[in-house]
Amino acid sequence: MTTEVPPGTAPDEDWLRLDRQICFSLHAASRAFNGVYRVLLGELGLTYPQYLVMLVLWEDGVTPVKRLGERLRLDSGTLSPLLKRLEAAGLVHRERSARDERSVEVRLTAEGTALRERAARVPRRMLAATGFTPEEVGDLRARLDRLTDALDTAALEEPDPDHG
């Protein structure tokens, strides 16, 4: 027995094709980005997650570890080893906050601040690698931000069907 499919929709099994999965498209694009970043950031002695930490510090200056984690969507178990490696490389310094002993703040060293000038070339080189215009990249980023917000909201609202 076959069921009729309304025009413009695909049977359920078609939705299970790999080439129809937005998650896979995002995963593949992320891996491709990481490959290009690996080359560009290798010239700076940074990994991609370390680069993200440096971007926040170049933008915000002295930042509590908790705030870094929030901005980068990383938990402390992931962030702490990153910060240890950046500190060992002489790019950042961590210290307890004078205002709140429970809080650890991260600040750039002179070497970390100086690295910003060399890193300024990375976004332009990434733009060139995409083949997109700045407007297209801006549109894509806005759509991805909307997607992230929608998924964050859905994750908060949707009960897990397997766990009632």
Side-chain angles (χ1 to χ4, degrees):
M1 177 166 95
T2 62
T3 57
E4 187 121 353
V5 178
T9 62
D12 287 342
E13 55 271 5
D14 284 350
W15 287 104
L16 294 177
R17 291 177 48 98
L18 182 63
D19 63 358
R20 290 181 136 288
Q21 308 304 309
I22 188 172
C23 56
F24 183 73
S25 294
L26 289 168
H27 171 74
S30 179
R31 288 182 54 89
F33 262 97
N34 288 339
V36 176
Y37 270 120
R38 191 174 304 110
V39 172
L40 297 178
L41 298 177
E43 297 170 9
L44 302 176
L46 296 174
T47 63
Y48 179 70
Q50 291 170 342
Y51 174 67
L52 296 179
V53 169
M54 297 301 288
L55 288 173
V56 173
L57 294 173
W58 289 325
E59 184 177 336
D60 294 351
V62 178
T63 306
V65 171
K66 182 177 180 181
R67 176 72 179 134
L68 264 174
E70 291 167 354
R71 293 249 357 242
L72 298 174
R73 301 173 67 104
L74 296 174
D75 60 51
S76 62
T78 302
L79 190 54
S80 291
L82 278 173
L83 294 173
K84 282 181 184 178
R85 285 192 294 277
L86 287 170
E87 193 167 32
L91 299 174
V92 303
H93 178 71
R94 293 177 296 164
E95 63 188 6
R96 294 249 170 238
S97 168
R99 287 169 273 136
D100 181 357
E101 285 286 319
R102 298 169 296 173
S103 177
V104 175
E105 295 177 331
V106 183
R107 70 181 65 247
L108 292 165
T109 62
E111 187 177 343
T113 300
L115 185 60
R116 185 179 193 280
E117 187 175 321
R118 289 178 46 216
R121 295 186 291 271
V122 171
R124 286 188 297 272
R125 291 174 72 187
M126 283 304 298
L127 176 63
T130 68
F132 287 9
T133 66
E135 294 77 19
E136 288 172 318
V137 169
D139 180 58
L140 178 59
R141 192 175 48 249
R143 288 171 182 257
L144 290 172
D145 289 345
R146 257 186 32 226
L147 175 63
T148 301
D149 290 344
L151 293 173
D152 282 347
T153 300
L156 294 174
E157 294 174 357
E158 293 293 321
D160 183 346
D162 294 330
H163 296 94

